[in-house]
Amino acid sequence: MNPLIEIKNLTIDFVLNNGILRACDNVSFTINKGEIIGVIGESGSGKSTLASGILNLVQAPGKISSGEVYYYTENNEKVNLLKLNKNDLNNYRWSEISTVFQAAQNALNPVLRIEEHFLETVYAHTDKMSNEEILKKAEKVLSYVRLDKSVLEYYPHQLSGGMKQRVLIALSLILDPKVILLDEPTTALDVITQWYILDLLKQIHNDLGITLIFLTHDISVISGVIDRIAVMYAGEIVEYGKVEDVFNETSHPYTKGLLDAIPTLHDDITKRKAIPGSPPNLIQDFKECKFSPRCYMYLNEECDGDKKKTEALYKVNGNQCTRCYKYGELTSKEIVKEGA
Ligand SMILES: Nc1ncnc2c1ncn2[C@@H]1O[C@H](COP(=O)(O)OP(=O)(O)OP(=O)(O)O)[C@@H](O)[C@H]1O
Ligand code: SF4
Ligand SMILES: [Mg+2]
């Protein structure tokens, strides 16, 4: 598989009056060309911060404290997005990597018609297309999300939530990106519309070969669509791998907790178990495994939560990795430090 985006040791901090909040902690992860990736984790785990880091869009009081984000161009040139100046970065945004931001439906300007959103978006990134060309292309990308061209004449308030979300997906496609980052793309929508939009995205992925990165707290919605999954907890990736491997051989207690909490249609809801406790305050110098206060192994004194040992990832299967060093002991399976 050819890499498309390589995130290396990315650390993002928010410098606040009461301390430094580490929202992304030494994140390393590679996204390959043509994949559909799901980054999942509870609210506050750092998903949106990671997305803004990948795009070098972290705003004060946030800052990228360390790390690199490499983008591989069509000629296999490796470009560190964090080292580009504003203009060069603008050339990559939208035409190479585009985004559908969290709560994006509110991002549509209420006083602009949809066609003006397309024109403004394109002009912000290139001057190589005429109005006519942009609107022709807008009709085409709207058809990918099964919206009629008449929508171009509408104001945002004339569209339903699902239509707005589809307009935003169409907008993200206007400059033929190679990859789209979708931050909670379906969260505000009803279940039927969620499935409909995911189905559309899968179709767009199949037809255009675009790499998709979903960032969401809702594992149940995306699990049927993604190839690989990365699980985030308190700013760290705690487990990643092919979705079927992570589901069949879950190797981190946090992932297990997330999976145990998913309700299904045929399920007895009382059998679902929420993860005890709540995510930690990220303004602290962690002395033990970040998940330890909520981990049944730690609470049963079966693991000492040695922080040092959780600073590495361990290989479980082929490409599946876990941050839980206890997993090997539990399964009598040899797990090795990744890259060791
Ligand atoms: N502008 C900011 N100023 C201060 N802290 C911030 C800021 N943005 C995010 N954070 C903190 O960074 C951490 C990660 O937040 P982030 O929004 O990335 O989480 P998330 O996983 O996207 O959550 P959600 O599922 O609710 O969208 C949280 O502790 C949050 O409070
Ligand atoms: S390292 Fe220990 S405390 Fe941390 S998740 Fe694994 S078993 Fe739990
Ligand atoms: Mg978010």
Side-chain angles (χ1 to χ4, degrees):
M1 277 228 151
N2 296 325
L4 182 64
I5 296 174
E6 194 179 342
I7 306 162
K8 289 194 97 169
N9 307 107
L10 186 65
T11 294
I12 304 173
D13 292 323
F14 289 95
V15 183
L16 308 175
N17 290 338
N18 51 342
I20 292 179
L21 186 154
R22 182 146 291 179
C24 272
D25 190 356
N26 203 19
V27 170
S28 294
F29 189 64
T30 300
I31 294 138
N32 298 309
K33 281 182 187 152
E35 279 190 309
I36 308 185
I37 297 283
V39 178
I40 60 147
E42 283 166 296
S43 181
S45 57
K47 304 176 299 289
S48 297
T49 307
L50 176 63
S52 60
I54 294 172
L55 297 157
N56 200 0
L57 279 177
V58 177
Q59 310 267 345
K63 68 174 175 83
I64 294 178
S65 301
S66 58
E68 288 106 43
V69 178
Y70 292 109
Y71 180 78
Y72 289 79
T73 67
E74 240 160 5
N75 316 325
N76 239 9
E77 212 185 313
K78 190 174 168 181
V79 180
N80 186 349
L81 297 177
L82 306 186
K83 288 265 158 39
L84 294 179
N85 66 35
K86 226 176 158 193
N87 269 349
D88 287 343
L89 189 62
N90 203 29
N91 292 335
Y92 278 85
R93 273 201 219 122
W94 235 268
S95 56
E96 299 283 337
I97 310 178
S98 71
T99 340
V100 177
F101 285 111
Q102 188 166 3
Q105 293 178 38
N106 306 328
L108 290 170
N109 186 330
V111 298
L112 295 183
R113 284 182 297 131
I114 300 304
E115 69 169 23
E116 291 164 292
H117 286 83
F118 278 98
L119 294 169
E120 285 205 346
T121 302
V122 175
Y123 286 136
H125 297 277
T126 177
D127 53 9
K128 293 196 181 105
M129 284 169 85
S130 67
N131 276 13
E132 206 184 12
E133 285 170 323
I134 297 169
L135 294 178
K136 205 153 176 243
K137 186 72 187 289
E139 283 179 22
K140 189 170 165 191
V141 290
L142 282 170
S143 77
Y144 290 152
V145 293
R146 290 176 218 149
L147 284 173
D148 186 75
K149 62 182 181 190
S150 57
V151 161
L152 288 168
E153 301 298 321
Y154 288 17
Y155 287 95
H157 73 267
Q158 295 172 293
L159 304 175
S160 71
M163 288 166 92
K164 280 190 224 169
Q165 198 64 9
R166 281 184 282 156
V167 164
L168 286 156
I169 293 166
L171 258 179
S172 76
L173 291 166
I174 190 76
L175 289 177
D176 300 320
K178 309 289 180 299
V179 49
I180 313 180
L181 276 161
L182 299 128
D183 193 356
E184 304 283 7
T186 61
T187 299
L189 306 171
D190 65 84
V191 178
I192 307 273
T193 315
Q194 282 183 351
W195 291 121
Y196 180 63
I197 288 185
L198 283 176
D199 198 43
L200 286 176
L201 282 162
K202 180 99 191 183
Q203 195 61 51
I204 290 167
H205 165 83
N206 291 344
D207 293 347
L208 307 178
I210 295 182
T211 304
L212 299 177
I213 306 170
F214 289 98
L215 301 111
T216 179
H217 65 275
D218 197 343
I219 190 172
S220 60
V221 171
I222 56 155
S223 58
V225 180
I226 56 180
D227 303 314
R228 280 199 304 144
I229 195 164
V231 182
M232 267 191 105
Y233 185 74
E236 293 181 328
I237 290 187
V238 294
E239 174 165 12
Y240 68 78
K242 278 195 197 156
V243 72
E244 61 270 24
D245 290 344
V246 171
F247 276 45
N248 290 337
E249 192 175 339
T250 309
S251 63
H252 196 285
Y254 177 59
T255 317
K256 187 172 178 336
L258 283 180
L259 294 178
D260 285 347
I262 302 178
T264 69
L265 275 181
H266 314 288
D267 216 18
D268 176 357
I269 193 92
T270 56
K271 289 199 183 123
R272 297 291 109 207
K273 281 183 283 179
I275 306 172
S278 42
N281 179 350
L282 300 182
I283 310 182
Q284 62 171 295
D285 189 11
F286 286 89
K287 300 275 191 269
E288 293 185 321
C289 167
K290 289 187 182 182
F291 189 60
S292 59
R294 303 174 76 186
C295 176
Y296 55 89
M297 296 288 296
Y298 181 87
L299 297 173
N300 291 337
E301 297 183 359
E302 290 169 52
C303 175
D304 58 7
D306 186 338
K307 174 79 172 71
K308 202 82 206 131
K309 291 188 188 158
T310 66
E311 283 166 11
L313 282 158
Y314 303 87
K315 258 196 199 317
V316 176
N317 278 316
N319 290 319
Q320 186 184 354
C321 284
T322 182
R323 200 172 283 282
C324 178
Y325 60 88
K326 213 59 193 164
Y327 179 74
E329 284 175 33
L330 283 174
T331 53
S332 317
K333 190 168 185 149
E334 192 196 359
I335 57 170
V336 287
K337 250 188 200 178
E338 200 202 10

